Amino acid sequence: MITLDQLTKRYGDHLAVDDVSFTAAPGRVTGFLGPNGAGKSTTMRMLTGLTRPTDGHALVNGRPYAELPNPGREVGVLLDASAQHAGRTGREVLAIARRTMGLPRARVEETLERVGLTEEEGGQRVRHYSLGMRQRLGIGLALLGDPEVLVLDEPANGLDPAGIRWMRDLLRGFADAGGTVLLSSHLLHEVEVVADDLVVIGRGRIVARGSKAELLESAGTVARSRRTPELVAALHAAGHAATVGTDGLVHSDAGCEAVGDVALAAGLPLAELRPADGAGLEEMFLQLTAAAQRDSVDADPSPTSSDLREGAAA
Amino acid sequence: MTSATSLTVDTPGTTSAGTTSPWTSPGTSPGTEGSPSARAAAAHAPIPFRRLAWVELTKMFDTRSGFWLLAGIAISALLATAAVVAFAPEESQTFEQFSAAIGMPIAILLPMVAILSVTAEWSQRGTLTTFTLVPHRGRVLLAKAVCAVGVGVVSMGVALAIGALGNVVGTAISGAPTVWDVDAANLATIVLANVLGLMMGFTLGVVLRSSPVAVVGYFVFSLVLPNALFALGMVQEWFADLQPWVDFYFSYTVLFEDVPTGEQWAQIGTSGLLWLVLPLAFGVWRVTRTEVK
Ligand SMILES: Nc1ncnc2c1ncn2[C@@H]1O[C@H](COP(=O)(O)OP(=O)(O)O)[C@@H](O)[C@H]1O
Ligand SMILES: [Mg+2]
């Protein structure tokens, strides 16, 4: 169980993390999503006691990280797979952690096998590892102490498709066995498949949060029309939220029926009208984060995303 | 901007009880202790200091640079001894000669060992793992210091034994009488001097947290500053009087020559406070607060 309560980090004038609160529950994979620079890593460093929060606090299993008697036994952490002494072998890296945690010797080989590193690869220096192998070693390091909680910062970076699939299954199994997983990514697709809950962060602030099902539901309706701007205007006039997505489709929080009625009343031909499904989540992610993107031109958040935000917060 | 303020994610079907570890298959851990935190508190003992020190010792040896630095101490002791046997005139083949020849490289290498024990990890960003496994950074630094001092004392013992052997073998070869002209008290102060030099390296490592910068820092401390301060003492009489009290290199190197007088001990104390204790305290304080990334 991970609890973040009003975590805030300020670097000079820059608010890197702004009042972030959420819970990652046991038995569930919580996806922590946001564009680059959104504050995911900073949040995770504050959670694991590596960065001092400016304000707020974080608890793991009900305790501040620094008060865990043997943290590696309770929380598996992977923040940066490249942060290893390049001159040590994978096996040596695990051996040092094993000794620190006071685990049986055999755990090292078990773990190498568990993360798919061969005996020979275990004996190679980390310097010669590919990024994917480093990620595997990092995940091994996190799993080594048999923890109940996993905190992984962009663990899929550098993994090949088979590796991503493997990690997904591993995390699913971990959560299904009662473990808590907090997993960050800047790619929705990566977490969409495995996460039960989503927390979306942009420019240091949470912009959406809820179970995946909930967020999927709140993604509303997708419509296509040759007269897109007029459809959007008509929907706005009718009091519905509507925006044009990057795919050229009109996204609205109104139901299909309501959108159809509005189009008919306005005399606008529709080429397509359907509920936003899984693919709609991507659009939602883009829209939610667009408001928080540094290069966003439009400072005024679109009605759709603000509605979605409220829907997600409810 | 609207913010999501409710504290928890709505997670239907989630219970906090019955959390079994995902490593051991579900069911092996009965979960009767209740919440995960209760289970954790019951199951995991704190990491003992002994284990931390053992881990830090391993880390000093298991990288190439660490290994060769320590091997370098033994090798240079052997070379220095061999050189005295081969080249020094018979009458100066005394234990003092041998230990002086060996002491030179050691006095340089030991501070490097201490520097690297701290900085290697910072430059390779291994601190990310170290401090997530052991959030009490002060304890980690203490374990490193204990190991560095331990390694220093042991390698000095080994080096002096090599020197003693050289003294016996060398004089046996040349037929000259074997002279033991270093008394036990002076041996002890030599060891202490090396430990202080090593701690100076450690302090620089903790304060600067970069291998090259700390190594350069040590040579400034041991080569550049002494000359500069000596020159200052030559032209400024007031400084010549003050120097032993504030110049740590000046006062602690007395230990290599002789057992210090009471006043000299006091000078080692005041200058050591200035150069060693205060900077180290400051450095440790900073390490405990700094962001690790
Ligand atoms: N030590 C630091 N000093 C100043 N700014 C920082 C520091 N660390 C992170 N930041 C800033 O904080 C923001 C969040 O960074 P980060 O947490 O790494 O984002 P993410 O992991 O989501 O990509 C970025 O704008 C970054 O530039
Ligand atoms: Mg990041």
Side-chain angles (χ1 to χ4, degrees), chain A residues 11 14 16-17 34-43 45 153-154 201 294, chain B residues 291 293:
Chain A
Y11 292 112
H14 179 61
V17 175
N36 291 322
K40 304 181 295 295
S41 300
T42 306
T43 302
R45 281 201 311 274
D153 194 5
E154 313 241 3
I201 186 175
R294 67 189 74 221
Chain B
E291 174 169 54
K293 21 183 8 186

Side-chain angles (χ1 to χ4, degrees), chain A residues 11 61 65 80 99 146 209, chain B residues 6 21 23 58 125 132 291:
Chain A
Y11 292 112
N61 291 341
Y65 191 89
D80 187 342
R99 187 172 280 181
D146 184 16
R209 180 182 58 190
Chain B
S6 67
S21 157
W23 179 282
T58 314
R125 298 175 61 225
T132 36
E291 174 169 54

Side-chain angles (χ1 to χ4, degrees), chain B residues 241-248 250-251 263 266-267 269-272 274:
Chain B
D241 296 335
L242 187 64
Q243 189 170 11
W245 297 95
V246 297
D247 181 352
F248 186 50
F250 185 98
S251 58
E263 190 183 35
Q267 289 167 344
T270 56
S271 59
L274 227 53

Side-chain angles (χ1 to χ4, degrees), chain A:
Chain A
M1 172 85 116
I2 296 170
T3 314
L4 306 187
D5 187 11
Q6 301 186 318
L7 265 190
T8 300
K9 182 66 189 181
R10 183 184 286 280
Y11 292 112
D13 290 341
H14 179 61
L15 257 182
V17 175
D18 185 4
D19 198 22
V20 165
S21 303
F22 66 86
T23 300
R28 298 178 76 85
V29 176
T30 303
F32 192 28
L33 267 170
N36 291 322
K40 304 181 295 295
S41 300
T42 306
T43 302
M44 288 175 144
R45 281 201 311 274
M46 288 194 281
L47 169 64
T48 51
L50 295 172
T51 293
R52 295 168 78 87
T54 308
D55 208 354
H57 60 269
L59 302 176
V60 180
N61 291 341
R63 282 195 268 189
Y65 191 89
E67 285 175 23
L68 302 175
N70 192 346
R73 303 294 304 272
E74 291 186 57
V75 202
V77 181
L78 168 60
L79 293 183
D80 187 342
S82 304
Q84 290 298 343
H85 195 296
R88 291 205 174 93
T89 66
R91 190 173 279 115
E92 283 169 340
V93 167
L94 293 178
I96 289 170
R98 172 202 76 79
R99 187 172 280 181
T100 309
M101 291 184 236
L103 300 168
R105 243 168 232 280
R107 188 63 64 78
V108 171
E109 295 306 319
E110 284 166 25
T111 303
L112 280 173
E113 199 184 317
R114 185 173 160 87
V115 298
L117 289 172
T118 65
E119 194 134 317
E120 194 198 328
E121 287 168 335
Q124 284 171 10
R125 293 182 195 279
V126 174
R127 188 195 318 281
H128 304 304
Y129 276 25
S130 68
L131 183 53
M133 285 163 76
R134 283 175 204 219
Q135 291 288 17
R136 283 174 187 267
L137 180 65
I139 290 167
L141 205 53
L143 291 172
L144 191 71
D146 184 16
E148 303 136 57
V149 179
L150 282 181
V151 176
L152 310 173
D153 194 5
E154 313 241 3
N157 278 2
L159 287 177
D160 52 24
I164 290 178
R165 178 65 194 269
W166 160 80
M167 191 192 62
R168 206 181 278 157
D169 294 345
L170 186 139
L171 297 183
R172 186 70 266 159
F174 188 92
D176 288 346
T180 306
V181 180
L182 178 63
L183 162 78
S184 84
S185 177
H186 64 283
L187 298 173
L188 174 68
H189 280 302
E190 249 170 43
V191 288
E192 190 183 6
V193 192
V194 69
D196 303 297
D197 299 314
L198 290 174
V199 177
V200 186
I201 186 175
R203 243 194 239 159
R205 292 190 70 92
I206 291 185
V207 290
R209 180 182 58 190
S211 71
K212 188 170 64 181
E214 223 169 60
L215 292 177
L216 267 172
E217 234 166 64
S218 64
T221 304
V222 175
R224 184 198 302 275
S225 171
R226 263 180 290 125
R227 292 154 68 181
T228 307
E230 290 163 82
L231 180 58
V232 171
L235 283 166
H236 282 175
H240 299 300
T243 52
V244 183
T246 49
D247 48 9
L249 300 176
V250 175
H251 293 252
S252 174
D253 66 339
C256 286
E257 206 169 324
V259 174
D261 287 347
V262 168
L264 181 64
L268 298 168
L270 291 181
E272 192 180 347
L273 179 63
R274 58 178 164 85
D277 51 7
L281 197 57
E282 168 114 56
E283 196 54 45
M284 187 203 75
F285 175 56
L286 282 170
Q287 296 203 355
L288 287 175
T289 52
Q293 292 275 5
R294 67 189 74 221
D295 53 9
S296 163
V297 194
D298 188 2
D300 184 34
S302 70
T304 307
S305 50
S306 82
D307 283 358
L308 281 173
R309 254 180 264 122
E310 274 153 26

Side-chain angles (χ1 to χ4, degrees), chain B residues 110-168:
Chain B
L110 283 182
M112 302 299 121
V113 170
I115 286 173
L116 284 188
S117 78
V118 181
T119 56
E121 201 161 57
W122 285 92
S123 9
Q124 299 272 352
R125 298 175 61 225
T127 43
L128 209 61
T129 307
T130 305
F131 292 146
T132 36
L133 291 180
V134 190
H136 300 278
R137 302 181 194 173
R139 283 184 89 211
V140 174
L141 287 179
L142 184 62
K144 283 179 189 295
V146 167
C147 288
V149 170
V151 165
V153 171
V154 169
S155 43
M156 295 242 320
V158 171
L160 286 173
I162 292 173
L165 198 69
N167 192 22
V168 172

